[in-house]
Every structure is written in C-alpha cells, then in structure tokens.
Amino acid sequence: MKRELITELKEAVKGAVRPRERLARHTSFRIGGPADLWVEPADAAQLKKLVKYARKNRIPLFIIGGGTNLLVSDEGYRGIVVHLGSGSFKKVTVAGTKVRAGAGVAVSGLVRLCCSKSLGGLESLIGIPGTIGGAVRMNAGGWNSPIYKNIGDLVASVKVMDHSGNIRVIRRNGIKFGYRSSSLRDVIILEAAFDLHKEDKETLKARCSQFLKMKKQKQALDAPSAGCVFKNPPDSQFTCGQMIDTLGLKGKRVGGAEVSERHANFIINRKKEASCKDVLSLVEFIKKKVMESYHIPLELEIEVLR
C-alpha cells in the first residue's frame, strides 16, 4: 500500500492501525508474513468507515478472528487485515434464554458464561479456539454426532455488515449452514444471537469438563496447528484422520510441518519452524496418497490466505 493511503487511513479511522504487521503473531499456526496494514477499528461506525475507504480505493480487505483456522502465506497479505478485537465487538447480553455475543467474543469464554447462568446448548463447543464471528461463519462444532452440536444449530439471528458498509440482521431461516460452511462468507459478522435453554448449572459444568477431557485426549495440542486440516468426506465410512493414519502418514514431515502423531488430521508446526510452503507441500502429499488409495478427493477445512 502507498504510504499516503496508510496516512489517510490512520487519520480517518479510530483504532489501532499498524503497517507491516506480521500475521504469524495472530494465527494459532504461528505461520505467515506481514499484512500491508493491520487495523482494529474502535466500533462498528469506524469499521464502516474502513470498509468504505477500502472499497473506494480498491484495497483488498480480510477479516480475521482468532486466527485458529487459518494458514497465511509466507509473503503475507497485500491489503488490509481487520481484527474486531476492541471492546465494542466483545459485548455479551443475556435476556432469558436468548444470548447475544459480539463477533470478537471468545467461543470458550461464552460457553463458560452461559453455563454459569444455567443456559445450556453451547457446552459441546467448549475448547474450540477462536471467536464467535469466525465460528459462526464456518459453522464450527461437531458433525454427524448426537452429542456434539454445530454452532449454527443454535443461531437465532446474525447482525452483519456488507462490503458497502450497510448493516442488517439476518434471521435463522435466511442463513444456510452446512458442514464447516455457511452463507455468511461474503459479509462481516458483527454479532450473533443464540436460542438456548435453562438447565442445571452443575450439570452443564460437568458436561463441559467431559467434553474438554474428550478433546484433550483426541486432539494434538503439543505444538502450534490450525486444528483439523481436511473436511471429513461425505458418505465415507472413514474420517480423514482414519485414512491418513491407516496410510502410515503420522509423523510425516516436510520442513517444519509434520502430521501429528496424536491426530492424523492435524498438521503441526514443529518447533515453530514451519513455513506456509512446508504445510502446503505436506497437504498436497497427503491428498495424493489418499486419492491413490481411497479415490477420495480431500477438501481443506482450514482457510489459506495468500
């Protein structure tokens, strides 16, 4: 970005504005080069100014949440990366069994708050990293399991901003949720409302403890990662993790990227030495091996920002 554009933006938008911000600092993978500009708008009004400015000047804009499902290019991002991390985007309100949470609210924090208020429904999402905005956008959670819920199952409505700066509320029947997907990918999520139910507080806390224990037993938490790399294929008797494990690929390395020994659908950043190129090379190797043996094309669950 031109220096004069950065200067103009700093004057126009209230909030943190940092040029050449290294994105590895803001992703769970700990991988990624610098963004031209990192911006944390103070509130929705400042976000609207930013969105309009980017549109007017034809500057690419990317919204980042907790950076937990994201692999960033080693070259970084040529545009503006927006983080909704100010207090304005972290508000939570509770009215009866309806809960409203800003896009910047941490998922696990919201789950714990709801449990403390005897509100059930979200507890299977405990331990999911990242923020409400990102979780709703990708419909985070479990899949095809009676004990896990996807966050979309509980959404009542979502407040969004489009890339012209217009704000509207989309009701549940106007949103399509799928496996790790939603129809909200082309808008900026500002807030989500959830319909929950009353339940005993101690029962909810015990359930959260159970889910956390299950996740710690199954997931790779010993090194930086972005969670599950591939989506489980539809109509397959095997999960991605099972196929990759059966092919003997646990421990396979490319540079600093390694298939986790604990969970084969996790690629970890061993000793924080992996590059984006390492991870993508390992991804292509895995996809090739799975296609050769199972004739199933694997689809990425993580998002790649180039």
Side-chain angles (χ1 to χ4, degrees):
M1 281 179 64
K2 294 179 180 179
R3 186 174 298 177
E4 56 267 30
L5 291 179
I6 295 174
T7 301
E8 281 181 21
L9 197 54
K10 284 183 175 181
E11 292 174 353
V13 177
K14 293 179 181 177
V17 179
R18 299 197 294 270
R20 304 297 294 171
E21 180 78 0
R22 189 166 172 263
L23 295 176
R25 296 179 55 216
H26 302 285
T27 69
S28 60
F29 234 148
R30 298 293 181 261
I31 293 171
D36 283 346
L37 206 61
W38 172 274
V39 183
E40 296 182 7
D43 52 32
Q46 299 304 311
L47 175 62
K48 184 174 183 177
K49 283 186 180 181
L50 174 61
V51 166
K52 287 190 169 184
Y53 185 89
R55 185 181 180 90
K56 177 184 175 183
N57 291 281
R58 299 182 179 179
I59 303 170
L61 191 124
F62 181 82
I63 309 296
I64 189 172
T68 55
N69 195 52
L70 187 64
L71 174 63
V72 179
S73 164
D74 300 315
E75 287 72 41
Y77 182 68
R78 304 285 70 81
I80 301 171
V81 172
V82 184
H83 179 55
L84 305 183
S86 73
S88 178
F89 299 105
K90 292 183 176 180
K91 295 178 180 177
V92 178
T93 59
V94 179
T97 56
K98 180 162 282 189
V99 175
R100 295 184 184 277
V105 173
V107 174
S108 286
L110 182 65
V111 175
R112 290 189 175 92
L113 174 65
C114 291
C115 289
S116 73
K117 294 185 177 295
S118 301
L119 293 173
L122 292 170
E123 52 274 13
S124 70
L125 302 175
I126 191 75
I128 288 181
T131 57
I132 290 298
V136 170
R137 181 175 178 266
M138 69 168 291
N139 195 21
W143 191 253
N144 290 336
S145 170
I147 64 170
Y148 287 105
K149 285 186 179 293
N150 294 303
I151 199 167
D153 299 334
L154 301 155
V155 167
S157 64
V158 180
K159 182 186 287 187
V160 304
M161 180 183 292
D162 65 25
H163 287 272
S164 294
N166 302 309
I167 295 175
R168 70 184 193 276
V169 174
I170 308 176
R171 304 296 175 188
R172 176 63 181 84
N173 58 9
I175 306 170
K176 292 182 180 179
F177 286 107
Y179 175 33
R180 298 298 173 269
S181 67
S182 76
S183 56
L184 299 167
R185 299 190 71 85
D186 294 327
V187 293
I188 302 169
I189 296 173
L190 303 178
E191 178 188 86
F194 303 96
D195 280 329
L196 306 181
H197 61 267
K198 283 288 185 181
E199 195 166 348
D200 176 69
K201 186 185 302 184
E202 295 306 315
T203 299
L204 292 173
K205 288 182 178 178
R207 200 174 294 149
C208 281
S209 296
Q210 178 187 7
F211 281 121
L212 276 176
K213 183 178 179 181
M214 291 166 63
K215 288 175 181 180
K216 287 177 180 177
Q217 288 173 342
K218 295 179 179 180
Q219 295 182 356
L221 305 174
D222 57 330
S225 77
C228 286
V229 174
F230 301 103
K231 294 180 181 181
N232 287 322
D235 305 320
S236 173
Q237 61 179 314
F238 303 111
T239 66
C240 289
Q242 288 170 336
M243 289 188 285
I244 297 166
D245 188 4
T246 301
L247 291 171
L249 298 182
K250 279 185 174 180
K252 170 67 180 176
R253 289 190 189 185
V254 173
E258 177 183 319
V259 178
S260 170
E261 294 277 7
R262 191 178 186 89
H263 191 311
N265 198 15
F266 277 55
I267 291 177
I268 59 174
N269 182 358
R270 177 62 65 192
K271 298 181 180 179
K272 299 182 182 179
E273 295 176 349
S275 65
C276 177
K277 183 179 179 181
D278 291 341
V279 175
L280 292 177
S281 294
L282 186 52
V283 162
E284 290 306 313
F285 178 83
I286 293 167
K287 289 171 72 173
K288 179 182 177 184
K289 291 297 183 183
V290 170
M291 178 60 80
E292 288 174 352
S293 296
Y294 292 92
H295 309 290
I296 294 175
L298 294 186
E299 182 182 352
L300 283 178
E301 182 171 318
I302 61 173
E303 186 169 1
V304 182
L305 180 63
R306 295 182 171 94

